[in-house]
């Protein structure tokens, strides 16, 4: 199982680095918001894979908190962009 965990970490590590590049480079706030959602999803997938490999469920509260942060973050960015679009002539 250690080989499987290493493979999972390498794949998700590369994906996380590429996602961080998108967060830094942007160019718009929507690109950054989508990239941050992808990064949170990657973290959740890694935690879920770790739970499946090791056969426990101790990380479920952490997964729920990460999911809530992602949803509330997406809602706040969407509201910000919608409000900004209404104020521009």
């Amino acid at each position: 199982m250690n080989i499987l965990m290493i493979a999972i970490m390498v794949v998700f590590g590369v994906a996380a680095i590429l996602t961080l590049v998108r967060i830094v480079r942007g160019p718009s706030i929507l690109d950054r918001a989508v990239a941050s959602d992808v990064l949170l999803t990657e973290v959740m997938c890694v935690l879920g894979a770790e739970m499946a490999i090791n056969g426990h469920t101790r990380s479920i509260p952490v997964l729920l908190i990460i999911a809530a942060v992602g949803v509330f973050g997406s809602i706040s960015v969407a509201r910000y962009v919608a409000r900004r679009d209404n104020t521009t002539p």
Side-chain angles (χ1 to χ4, degrees), residues 17-67:
I17 290 170
L18 293 173
T19 304
L20 287 173
V21 168
R22 176 52 55 197
I23 290 173
V24 170
R25 291 185 62 184
S28 70
I29 191 169
L30 293 176
D31 291 328
R32 290 182 171 100
V34 169
S36 66
D37 284 342
V38 169
L39 188 61
L40 287 175
T41 303
E42 290 171 4
V43 169
M44 290 174 61
C45 287
V46 168
L47 284 173
E50 188 272 329
M51 284 190 324
I53 289 171
N54 293 326
H56 67 84
T57 58
R58 292 185 300 266
S59 300
I60 289 179
V62 176
L63 290 174
L64 291 173
I65 291 171
I66 292 172

Side-chain angles (χ1 to χ4, degrees), residues 33 37 67-83:
D37 284 342
V69 167
V71 167
F72 293 136
S74 296
I75 290 171
S76 64
V77 168
R79 290 179 61 109
Y80 171 76
V81 170
R83 187 173 8 161

